[in-house]
Amino acid sequence: MKRKVDYTWRLAELMAARGLHNTTDLIPLLAERDITLSRPQVYRLVNQRPERMSLQVIAALCDIFECTPADLLTTTATDLRVRRTGTTAAPPNVVSLDRSVRPRRANILDE
């Protein structure tokens, strides 16, 4: 069975819980840990879901907020629904419509 894996980036929530309400408040905290990011980069880091990220940045964020990577992002995994095609076996509640099951056509005669 195929599974769909997704995640939620929670950096903005952690910042709000610590009283950091501006994304630029994060720049000096990252600079203390030798991470140099521009204002637009920090804005994207906080307000968008990152697809690729350096492990040094994740480690620095965990150190700043005294949390684990599991606190920074939450993951979910769900089963995908199997797409049914005409070649797969029918489920047991589906009636087969082959010729042997169909009723015979009535033949009406004039008298």
Side-chain angles (χ1 to χ4, degrees):
M1 166 118 352
K2 289 187 179 185
R3 293 178 60 85
K4 181 179 190 276
V5 179
D6 199 15
Y7 67 95
T8 305
W9 184 243
R10 300 184 55 225
L11 181 58
E13 295 174 29
L14 290 174
M15 286 181 64
R18 305 282 180 179
L20 300 172
H21 298 292
N22 295 325
T23 57
T24 55
D25 296 341
L26 195 57
I27 294 174
L29 297 173
L30 288 170
E32 291 173 2
R33 289 152 180 90
D34 291 329
I35 304 291
T36 317
L37 296 175
S38 65
R39 287 183 320 133
Q41 287 174 323
V42 173
Y43 177 83
R44 287 193 304 269
L45 179 69
V46 173
N47 295 313
Q48 296 176 0
R49 270 177 38 152
E51 295 295 324
R52 295 181 299 259
M53 179 179 281
S54 169
L55 289 176
Q56 285 85 8
V57 174
I58 292 176
L61 290 173
C62 290
D63 184 47
I64 290 169
F65 297 110
E66 299 170 353
C67 66
T68 64
D71 297 328
L72 274 174
L73 55 99
T74 57
T75 59
T76 57
T78 56
D79 291 334
L80 285 180
R81 206 170 143 194
V82 177
R83 186 174 169 213
R84 298 192 186 262
T85 62
T87 58
T88 59
N93 63 346
V94 175
V95 177
S96 175
L97 295 178
D98 59 353
R99 296 247 181 235
S100 64
V101 180
R102 290 185 183 176
R104 285 188 26 199
R105 190 172 188 156
N107 213 0
I108 301 174
L109 301 172
D110 288 334
E111 290 189 39

